[in-house]
Amino acid sequence: PAPAFSEEAVRKAVLETNTRMTEAANRLDVDAFFSYILDTDKGMIIQNGKLFKTRAEALQAVKQGFMGVEKIDRRLTDPQVTVISPEVALLASEGTVNATLTDGRTMEARFAVSLVFVKKDGQWKLLHGHYSMPTRM
């Protein structure tokens, strides 16, 4: 028989992994952020309608996005985790991001995110992330 697993333990582990990813992003530590992303080139990141086809392309885009940023504060609002199996979970949430640029300007935005996490070699990693910001009316 298959070993029993706890959906709550999976939820907790996925939320903890996402928290560590968010903390890395808030430190502007791109390498630490990407350490939580599975090393695959299967188009794992989509942002506002743009598919980054390789991990390297996504990494470069994030590095470019952080250029000129002095401080960032990303926060999720009530993230929901759906456990699909003992090794796969979906996190969906809305959130806010506040950034201070090196020239002193500040920016604030809302976003939505869906993240698919997989357990690989005992570690939870991001397999796919879809990020979007609502269009301005």
Side-chain angles (χ1 to χ4, degrees):
F5 79 99
S6 161
E7 285 194 20
E8 187 54 37
V10 170
R11 265 193 284 284
K12 185 177 178 182
V14 166
L15 286 170
E16 176 60 32
T17 299
N18 187 73
T19 295
R20 289 193 304 264
M21 287 180 71
T22 300
E23 289 168 348
N26 287 347
R27 290 191 312 269
L28 303 174
D29 188 340
V30 178
D31 293 326
F33 178 79
F34 268 76
S35 74
Y36 296 101
I37 298 176
L38 197 63
D39 191 1
T40 181
D41 283 341
K42 304 240 194 255
M44 86 286 270
I45 303 291
I46 298 173
Q47 185 172 15
N48 291 331
K50 164 104 174 106
L51 171 66
F52 296 100
K53 295 181 180 157
T54 67
R55 189 176 192 277
E57 186 182 0
L59 176 66
Q60 187 58 36
V62 172
K63 284 184 177 181
Q64 283 180 326
F66 280 173
M67 292 176 77
V69 176
E70 184 176 304
K71 183 180 175 189
I72 194 165
D73 183 25
R74 260 182 72 189
R75 294 175 189 248
L76 296 185
T77 308
D78 191 28
Q80 303 294 309
V81 176
T82 302
V83 177
I84 298 166
S85 78
E87 294 87 23
V88 181
L90 168 68
L91 183 152
S93 187
E94 293 179 316
T96 59
V97 61
N98 292 290
T100 302
L101 305 182
T102 52
D103 65 9
R105 289 180 294 151
T106 59
M107 299 168 45
E108 183 177 329
R110 293 183 314 110
F111 65 89
V113 62
S114 58
L115 306 170
V116 177
F117 287 90
V118 295
K119 193 171 187 180
K120 192 86 164 169
D121 300 324
Q123 301 288 317
W124 285 95
K125 299 275 186 169
L126 182 71
L127 171 67
H128 177 77
H130 193 147
Y131 303 83
S132 64
M133 292 187 164
T135 55
R136 301 191 197 285
M137 296 294 207

